[in-house]
Amino acid sequence: MNPVLEKIIQTFKDMPLSRRIVLGGLTMVIVAGFVTLFIWTNQTQFKAAYTGLTKDDAANVVANLKETNTPYRLTGDGTTIMVPEEIVYDVRLTMAKQGIPKGGGVGYEIFDKTKFGTTEFVQKINKKRAIQGELARTISAFDEVKTARVMIVMPKDSVFVEEVKKPSASILLELNADLEQENVTAIAHLVASSIQDLTPKLVTIVDTAGRILFEGKSEEEQAKITAQNLADAQYQYKIRFEENLTRRIQTMLERIVGKDKAIVRVTSEMDFSKNDMNEEIYDPFERGGEFVRSRKNRAEKIKSTLDDIPNPSSVNPIVEDETLGGQAGNELTDKSDDTFNYEISKRVRATQKPMAVLNRLSVAAVVDGNYEYKIDESGNRKRVYVPRSTEEMKRFQNIVIKAMGYNEERSDQVSMESFPFASIADLQTQPETVGWQKLQKDYGKLAGNALLVLILFLFVIRPIIKTVKDIKTTVEQEALPSPEEIALIEEDEAEPQFLEMDGKQQKEYLEMMTEDEKDSFMKDLNASERASFLEKMSVNEKAKYYADKDFDKTLNILRGWISETEEEQNG
């Protein structure tokens, strides 16, 4: 076994039990933390490519993804398909090219493959199916709508005008969340506008919970709804007018007295009644003279004599007119008629009242006063309120009057007062970080990996390398001769008689002695003789000698030799 690894194991064994447990727990926490950080920084981010799919569409999408070996995940009971974030749009475009998903119904693509010999009845049915499918897909585009089904009833054509009926439609919605009333109305108008002669009154919308979301209203109900909408619009108009005027006055005062030191409230009375008036005014003297539009002149002359009197007969007897006297047989008439038509001035005026007429305006404004710091009898610094002067308040009131558009004829009111305000702590708002989300998205993983490598090097690799170096240095130092052995070698160099003996002679010389004599002889040897003797001993003898003398040191030497032997064999 490697002496460095063996030293680590031995050091761990020599530790107390409590320290082993703490070290083991710390190691597990570090490893788990690094594993979690590594997985988190390198995991693939998935994003929903499709949500709310039908089973058929989900099966088609999954089959296509399997063919292209694209990783995916199914969530939401198989109705949501998630793919890696970087290829979401590529997947959608690829699927759209193949006409996937179809939206759970057939649309106008039903006419892409028209069979020869299709009857008119089948064509009408296919057209109806196509319209229903396209409308269902359009309605499903709402975020709150999971699925939609549209059923249309088209009446039969009739040659009699009295028997002509209008189409109707019913819509079934499966919702992810409740729809706002305005969205429901929008769906009804969307369907009604897509079908000829269909009105929103003939559209019914229900959901899968059995609730009627929209149904055709009678004229009376529709009038009530219209009145309610008009009242809401009028109220919103009034509120916006008051808020706008409040903001204008308050911001102006705050620039003078300071932020949060002015309060303004505006109340308006408006007339929303409608009163339209059309006028036609005729004024013959407007232009200061008479203008002839047309003139008609007619002259007539009538002359009668006796020759002109018809012959008497039984049918037309001559009756003498007594009023003519003796001039009955001679008559002369002369008539003259002259007619003038003059041009008359005319003005046509249409007056329409605006949406709202401001009848009265009331403004109430309150400003904070001034403050001074004074020292009381106890020597404490105290904040004292100082009200604003009458002249200053008058100037503020004049400013408000000008800003609000004061009109005395409307009986407008203005109230301007000064009171001490309660202490309001300044709101500490943190500056908005610009571009942080984009920076995190682009370089988050890279920074996480770099941080992971840095922490791993500083707290794991570097301490391990340092510990291994220290243990290796300790082993090498223990394998070197001790200072005593070095002294023995130096002493033996001063005595050439012992150095002249080789290892075999020294061995034979010692074997001639008993064990007691050998021990006594070895104790009497000086450092140089002992070092020389040890140097010329065989490996086994040297091991036996050190084993008897110092067992731990012998164990380290044996490990070093074994390591050297293994390195030579591997080399």
Side-chain angles (χ1 to χ4, degrees):
M1 183 182 293
N2 193 314
V4 176
L5 182 60
E6 188 172 350
K7 181 67 175 178
I8 294 174
I9 296 174
Q10 185 63 34
T11 304
F12 182 76
K13 289 181 179 180
D14 294 340
M15 291 182 181
L17 179 60
S18 59
R19 192 173 180 182
R20 292 183 189 178
I21 295 174
V22 173
L23 182 60
L26 183 62
T27 303
M28 292 178 62
V29 170
I30 293 175
V31 172
F34 279 115
V35 171
T36 303
L37 183 60
F38 180 79
I39 294 174
W40 177 76
T41 54
N42 294 279
Q43 65 180 353
T44 303
Q45 297 291 336
F46 280 79
K47 185 178 180 181
Y50 298 100
T51 58
L53 294 176
T54 61
K55 294 182 180 179
D56 295 336
D57 288 337
N60 293 332
V61 173
V62 170
N64 191 283
L65 293 176
K66 288 182 178 179
E67 290 179 0
T68 57
N69 295 325
T70 303
Y72 67 92
R73 291 179 182 176
L74 293 176
T75 59
D77 297 331
T79 60
T80 301
I81 299 178
M82 304 182 70
V83 296
E85 185 177 5
E86 59 272 8
I87 62 172
V88 168
Y89 300 105
D90 294 338
V91 170
R92 291 177 180 174
L93 293 175
T94 303
M95 296 296 175
K97 183 178 180 181
Q98 301 179 11
I100 303 174
K102 297 181 179 179
V106 64
Y108 283 114
E109 66 272 7
I110 194 173
F111 296 107
D112 293 342
K113 297 180 181 179
T114 304
K115 296 181 180 180
F116 180 76
T118 304
T119 62
E120 183 181 0
F121 176 76
V122 175
Q123 289 285 12
K124 289 182 178 180
I125 295 298
N126 289 340
K127 179 182 178 182
K128 180 179 176 181
R129 293 178 59 195
I131 294 175
Q132 293 178 165
E134 292 295 336
L135 288 174
R137 293 177 184 176
T138 305
I139 296 172
S140 298
F142 286 84
D143 295 335
E144 297 86 355
V145 179
K146 185 177 182 181
T147 58
R149 289 183 62 85
V150 179
M151 283 72 72
I152 302 173
V153 178
M154 302 296 293
K156 294 182 179 180
D157 297 333
S158 176
V159 295
F160 301 102
V161 178
E162 295 82 1
E163 297 180 0
V164 174
K165 296 181 180 180
K166 293 185 178 181
S168 60
S170 59
I171 305 170
L172 177 65
L173 302 179
E174 184 180 358
L175 302 177
N176 295 320
D178 291 339
L179 273 171
E180 297 291 339
Q181 187 60 37
E182 59 182 6
N183 292 340
V184 176
T185 306
I187 293 175
H189 284 270
L190 172 67
V191 175
S193 302
S194 303
I195 302 172
Q196 185 178 2
D197 297 332
L198 179 62
T199 61
K201 294 181 181 180
L202 299 177
V203 177
T204 302
I205 303 177
V206 298
D207 62 359
T208 52
R211 297 179 299 174
I212 299 177
L213 305 179
F214 183 88
E215 60 179 342
K217 302 292 191 301
S218 62
E219 294 183 359
E220 183 179 355
E221 293 175 342
Q222 190 63 37
K224 291 182 179 179
I225 295 175
T226 304
Q228 182 65 32
N229 294 336
L230 180 60
D232 293 340
Q234 293 173 354
Y235 176 75
Q236 293 296 331
Y237 179 85
K238 180 176 180 293
I239 292 299
R240 286 197 300 269
F241 174 81
E242 294 174 353
E243 289 179 349
N244 181 48
L245 188 57
T246 299
R247 183 173 60 255
R248 291 170 55 188
I249 298 175
Q250 185 165 348
T251 53
M252 181 178 59
L253 292 177
E254 286 182 346
R255 291 293 299 272
I256 301 173
V257 300
K259 185 174 177 57
D260 297 330
K261 290 188 176 182
I263 302 174
V264 179
R265 295 294 181 267
V266 176
T267 302
S268 62
E269 296 179 7
M270 294 185 175
D271 181 13
F272 291 97
S273 61
K274 292 185 177 180
N275 185 14
D276 299 338
M277 182 174 60
N278 296 325
E279 294 179 317
E280 290 187 5
I281 302 175
Y282 298 89
D283 188 0
F285 305 104
E286 181 180 7
R287 300 183 180 180
E290 298 179 352
F291 295 90
V292 178
R293 177 194 297 178
S294 62
R295 179 180 180 182
K296 184 178 180 181
N297 190 0
R298 186 178 67 174
E300 183 179 359
K301 291 183 180 182
I302 300 175
K303 183 179 181 182
S304 176
T305 61
L306 295 175
D307 296 336
D308 296 330
I309 299 175
N311 294 324
S313 63
S314 61
V315 178
N316 187 19
I318 299 175
V319 180
E320 184 178 356
D321 191 355
E322 297 179 354
T323 58
L324 296 176
Q327 299 180 358
N330 189 7
E331 180 181 2
L332 180 62
T333 304
D334 190 1
K335 292 183 178 181
S336 178
D337 186 8
D338 197 359
T339 303
F340 289 87
N341 292 325
Y342 294 95
E343 189 72 33
I344 300 176
S345 177
K346 176 184 178 181
R347 283 200 312 271
V348 179
R349 181 170 60 188
T351 304
Q352 185 176 7
K353 186 179 178 181
M355 177 181 177
V357 177
L358 184 60
N359 292 336
R360 189 177 183 182
L361 190 62
S362 300
V363 177
V366 179
V367 295
D368 196 6
N370 298 318
Y371 294 90
E372 295 180 355
Y373 290 94
K374 297 182 179 180
I375 306 300
D376 57 7
E377 297 177 355
S378 302
N380 298 325
R381 192 165 178 260
K382 187 177 180 181
R383 189 167 178 256
V384 179
Y385 170 75
V386 178
R388 297 184 183 272
S389 62
T390 305
E391 294 77 7
E392 189 175 9
M393 295 301 298
K394 185 64 176 178
R395 289 198 297 270
F396 284 148
Q397 186 174 359
N398 292 333
I399 293 174
V400 173
I401 288 174
K402 299 297 182 182
M404 65 178 284
Y406 181 84
N407 189 346
E408 189 175 357
E409 296 180 356
R410 293 195 308 249
S411 299
D412 292 349
Q413 295 180 352
V414 179
S415 175
M416 192 75 193
E417 301 293 340
S418 176
F419 293 101
F421 281 20
S423 178
I424 301 176
D426 295 333
L427 298 176
Q428 300 294 334
T429 58
Q430 297 181 354
E432 183 180 357
T433 304
V434 179
W436 169 250
Q437 294 182 351
K438 184 177 183 302
L439 183 64
Q440 183 181 10
K441 180 179 179 181
D442 295 340
Y443 304 102
K445 290 186 177 181
L446 181 61
N449 289 328
L451 180 62
L452 177 63
V453 173
L454 180 62
I455 294 175
L456 185 65
F457 176 77
L458 292 177
F459 295 98
V460 178
I461 299 177
R462 185 179 178 185
I464 291 176
I465 294 175
K466 184 177 180 181
T467 303
V468 171
K469 286 184 177 180
D470 294 341
I471 295 175
K472 188 174 181 181
T473 302
T474 302
V475 172
E476 291 178 353
Q477 290 178 355
E478 290 179 353
L480 294 175
S482 62
E484 297 178 355
E485 294 175 349
I486 295 174
L488 291 174
I489 293 173
E490 292 177 354
E491 291 179 359
D492 291 340
E493 290 178 355
E495 298 179 0
Q497 68 276 10
F498 187 78
L499 295 176
E500 293 177 355
M501 297 175 63
D502 56 8
K504 184 177 181 180
Q505 293 175 351
Q506 291 178 356
K507 181 179 179 182
E508 293 176 353
Y509 178 78
L510 293 175
E511 288 178 351
M512 296 173 61
M513 301 180 184
T514 61
E515 293 296 328
D516 296 335
E517 291 177 350
K518 185 185 298 185
D519 294 336
S520 177
F521 177 78
M522 294 299 297
K523 292 180 180 179
D524 295 335
L525 288 176
N526 54 30
S528 177
E529 291 176 347
R530 187 178 295 106
S532 177
F533 171 74
L534 294 174
E535 184 179 0
K536 295 179 181 180
M537 288 175 64
S538 64
V539 176
N540 295 332
E541 293 174 347
K542 187 179 295 186
K544 182 179 179 182
Y545 172 78
Y546 279 114
D548 295 336
K549 183 178 180 182
D550 190 350
F551 180 79
D552 294 336
K553 187 173 182 180
T554 303
L555 183 61
N556 292 332
I557 294 175
L558 290 175
R559 291 171 181 168
W561 290 342
I562 293 172
S563 176
E564 292 176 358
T565 304
E566 290 177 354
E567 290 178 358
E568 291 177 358
Q569 291 177 357
N570 294 332

